Amino acid sequence: MIRLRPLRAGLRLRANSIVAVAALAALAAPALAQKPASREILIRNATVMTVTKGVIENGSVLIRDGKIADVGTSVKASADATVIDAAGKFVTPGVIDCHSHIAVDGSVNEGSFSVTSMVRIADVIDSSDSGIVIGLSGGVTMANVLHGSANAIGGQNAVIKMKPNRPAGELIYGNAPPGIKFALGENPKRSNFQANPARYPRTRMGVENVIRDAFTRARDYREVWARYNADVKAGKKRVAVPRRDLELEPLVEVLEGKRLVHSHCYRADEILMLIRVARDFNFRIATFQHVLEGYKVAPEILASGAGASTFQDFGGYKIEAFDATPYNTAMLWKAGILVSLNSDDGERQRRLNTDAARAVRYGGVPEDEALKMITINPAKQLGIDRWVGSLERGKDADVVIWSAHPLSSYAVAEKVYVDGNLEFDRAVAIRDAEARRAESKRLVEQEKADKSAKPNPDAPRTAPAPRHGLHHDDACEGGGE
């Protein structure tokens, strides 16, 4: 039995929204994704946008055993291959969302402490979340699921493949380096939230102090273990084993370059602050997330080696977002920074292709570079570009067939493959949605008929069934950013 979770804020189902209805229909009927994948799938006669190797007109993509076996104009497949004629359509790698909060069972924020580096998103992945299928309907095949931004140093992230209704472990992408969420500004200092009791920090200088204090303790913790290991290696007797600290161990991994830092931020001054902290403790920031004032300090971001994962044209929704501009993406790209576009929202996630198109409109980013911002660039920022982000031989078969050019506002994802499995088929989803609407209507009419029927006074009365406590899975508590 499939458990349907309530839609998150901003995903209100409307009767005239075929996409949302189709997505929920696909979620409730997962048989499509659970069918064994054909050993070979040949998509031919399409405009193939490889992202890294140019555009191939009348091209083909061969999928074999979950991998891309070949890409080109004269691709051969076995006699038993499933052949899809994609004439007039466009084929791209799957869209990758570098900042998401979908598929989390419960709140994305462990807000009790300012440093919660010990908690892990991977422990609460919920593959029945409707956001997975809604993302698939927009061509999204992977997402960087982050802890919320209530903490200066938050929890550990999970990079997932969009595979609805599977065991949670099948979604988590093992090739992705581990990461962690940081946050700067209004959210970690709780400017817009009532905390009882009040939690430190309450100012931006307090946020910086929390981060510096945590890394000072992590550095000391690393030295304690280094001395212990050296004593053991030297053959010393009766060496006391240091106490493990699950809060500091992920931060030691950051110091050693083994864990990526993804930092929520808006203002230029706080971006510069974290760059200074990273320099002082000798660690690298993988991405500044949102980074709405990044255009003000683009040279400094470039020099730090950090990437930028931003909103295309979303700002003005709180004080620290007032200086946002839709030209931020183009200015960061022109400065030479590795730029990706993210959603931070289950609804906006299915529109990342049109976000990329707006980067062309606002600032003149070339179309091929705009497409990279939702494919290979986020893959690079997450350290997984060896396996995903482009259509190349040997990479994971995360493939999208679009009805039109993916940067067109008319384009929709018709078929979406993840690891060679057809996880979303728009035609099937719409057909199933229509069937479910008809079944819903029938049940409503049946209920009305049952209520209007006169009760039979001679019918035997039965005792009510005993009531048992029910567990209700609430929707996510608030936004994550």
Side-chain angles (χ1 to χ4, degrees), residues 379-448:
K380 290 179 179 178
Q381 291 174 342
L382 297 173
I384 55 177
D385 53 298
R386 287 174 52 196
W387 303 280
V388 295
S390 61
L391 298 180
E392 299 180 61
R393 289 182 184 178
K395 285 196 171 185
D396 296 354
D398 297 350
V399 181
V400 184
I401 302 176
W402 302 87
S403 62
H405 192 294
L407 300 187
S408 167
S409 58
Y410 296 100
V412 294
E414 294 188 345
K415 295 181 186 293
V416 181
Y417 295 87
V418 180
D419 289 335
N421 289 294
L422 182 59
E423 298 289 355
F424 180 81
D425 187 321
R426 185 169 297 272
V428 172
I430 292 175
R431 181 198 66 195
D432 289 350
E434 292 171 348
R436 277 174 170 70
R437 277 203 297 265
E439 176 67 4
S440 177
K441 182 178 179 181
R442 185 191 69 79
L443 291 173
V444 169
E445 294 300 325
Q446 181 64 51
E447 184 179 14
K448 289 179 180 178

Side-chain angles (χ1 to χ4, degrees), residues 33-111:
Q34 294 180 353
K35 290 180 180 178
S38 172
R39 183 174 179 274
E40 283 192 358
I41 302 168
L42 178 63
I43 305 169
R44 65 183 185 185
N45 300 328
T47 299
V48 179
M49 309 179 79
T50 68
V51 173
T52 55
K53 304 291 184 181
V55 177
I56 305 172
E57 300 292 345
N58 296 315
S60 300
V61 177
L62 178 63
I63 298 172
R64 180 185 297 131
D65 298 331
K67 300 291 184 180
I68 297 172
D70 202 0
V71 181
T73 55
S74 56
V75 176
K76 304 297 183 182
S78 63
D80 60 348
T82 299
V83 179
I84 299 172
D85 186 358
K89 304 184 188 304
F90 291 72
V91 177
T92 71
V95 174
I96 301 173
D97 187 355
C98 199
H99 188 129
S100 176
H101 300 293
I102 65 166
V104 175
D105 185 10
S107 174
V108 300
N109 282 301
E110 175 49 68

Side-chain angles (χ1 to χ4, degrees), residues 11 92 95-96 112 125 185 196 230 255 281-282 328 344 361 433 456 463 470 475:
L11 293 179
T92 71
V95 174
I96 301 173
S112 51
I125 290 295
N196 188 20
L255 292 173
F281 287 92
N282 195 30
N328 182 49
D344 192 25
R361 169 63 180 83
N456 181 3
L470 298 177

Side-chain angles (χ1 to χ4, degrees), residues 100-409:
S100 176
H101 300 293
I102 65 166
V104 175
D105 185 10
S107 174
V108 300
N109 282 301
E110 175 49 68
S112 51
F113 301 107
S114 300
V115 178
T116 56
S117 48
M118 72 294 287
V119 303
R120 306 183 301 183
I121 289 294
D123 293 334
V124 289
I125 290 295
D126 178 10
S127 67
S128 70
D129 186 355
S130 59
I132 295 175
V133 178
I134 292 173
L136 282 167
S137 74
V140 179
T141 56
M142 295 190 76
N144 180 27
V145 183
L146 291 164
H147 187 273
S149 54
N151 322 77
I153 299 178
Q156 303 168 35
N157 71 323
V159 177
I160 67 169
K161 290 275 188 131
M162 307 289 263
K163 298 179 179 180
N165 302 304
R166 311 290 180 79
E170 293 185 17
L171 278 68
I172 297 171
Y173 193 57
N175 289 330
I180 191 168
K181 175 73 174 293
F182 286 20
L184 313 175
E186 292 182 14
N187 287 16
K189 71 187 186 75
R190 316 309 286 152
S191 298
N192 307 306
F193 304 89
Q194 295 296 323
N196 188 20
R199 190 201 74 186
Y200 180 81
R202 302 296 289 180
T203 64
R204 280 182 165 80
M205 60 183 174
V207 171
E208 178 176 357
N209 173 259
V210 166
I211 298 172
R212 286 187 177 275
D213 174 74
F215 276 106
T216 299
R217 290 185 287 117
R219 191 167 54 189
D220 293 343
Y221 178 72
R222 180 176 62 175
E223 291 175 358
V224 168
W225 274 96
R227 287 195 299 269
Y228 166 76
N229 291 327
D231 289 344
V232 171
K233 187 175 181 180
K236 291 186 177 181
K237 305 297 183 181
R238 297 183 180 180
V239 180
V241 180
R243 181 180 181 273
R244 286 188 65 188
D245 191 319
L246 300 183
E247 174 191 341
L248 297 180
E249 284 185 1
L251 302 184
V252 170
E253 292 175 336
V254 171
L255 292 173
E256 294 178 346
K258 298 175 182 177
R259 184 173 292 276
L260 305 179
V261 173
H262 303 288
S263 182
H264 162 111
C265 61
Y266 290 95
R267 286 181 14 178
D269 55 348
E270 63 193 20
I271 295 169
L272 294 178
M273 176 273 287
L274 191 59
I275 290 174
R276 290 192 298 270
V277 172
R279 181 186 62 221
D280 291 347
F281 287 92
N282 195 30
F283 68 84
R284 178 178 168 269
I285 303 160
T287 62
F288 283 108
Q289 296 281 333
H290 311 322
V291 62
L292 297 188
E293 291 188 16
Y295 63 94
K296 297 180 179 181
V297 289
E300 289 81 0
I301 295 175
L302 178 64
S304 75
S309 186
T310 187
F311 297 138
Q312 168 48 41
D313 53 4
F314 185 44
Y317 45 89
K318 55 181 176 177
I319 295 295
E320 62 184 1
F322 275 11
D323 275 4
T325 169
Y327 293 91
N328 182 49
T329 303
M331 287 189 280
L332 292 172
W333 171 76
K334 290 176 182 177
I337 297 167
L338 183 66
V339 180
S340 71
L341 297 170
N342 69 60
S343 74
D344 192 25
D345 180 80
E347 167 63 13
R348 193 162 55 242
Q349 185 178 76
R350 69 183 177 93
R351 306 174 191 275
L352 284 173
N353 63 309
T354 54
D355 276 356
R358 288 197 288 273
V360 178
R361 169 63 180 83
Y362 296 103
V365 175
E367 289 184 3
D368 59 336
E369 293 294 331
L371 189 58
K372 288 179 181 179
M373 292 177 180
I374 55 172
T375 53
I376 194 66
N377 287 7
K380 290 179 179 178
Q381 291 174 342
L382 297 173
I384 55 177
D385 53 298
R386 287 174 52 196
W387 303 280
V388 295
S390 61
L391 298 180
E392 299 180 61
R393 289 182 184 178
K395 285 196 171 185
D396 296 354
D398 297 350
V399 181
V400 184
I401 302 176
W402 302 87
S403 62
H405 192 294
L407 300 187
S408 167
S409 58

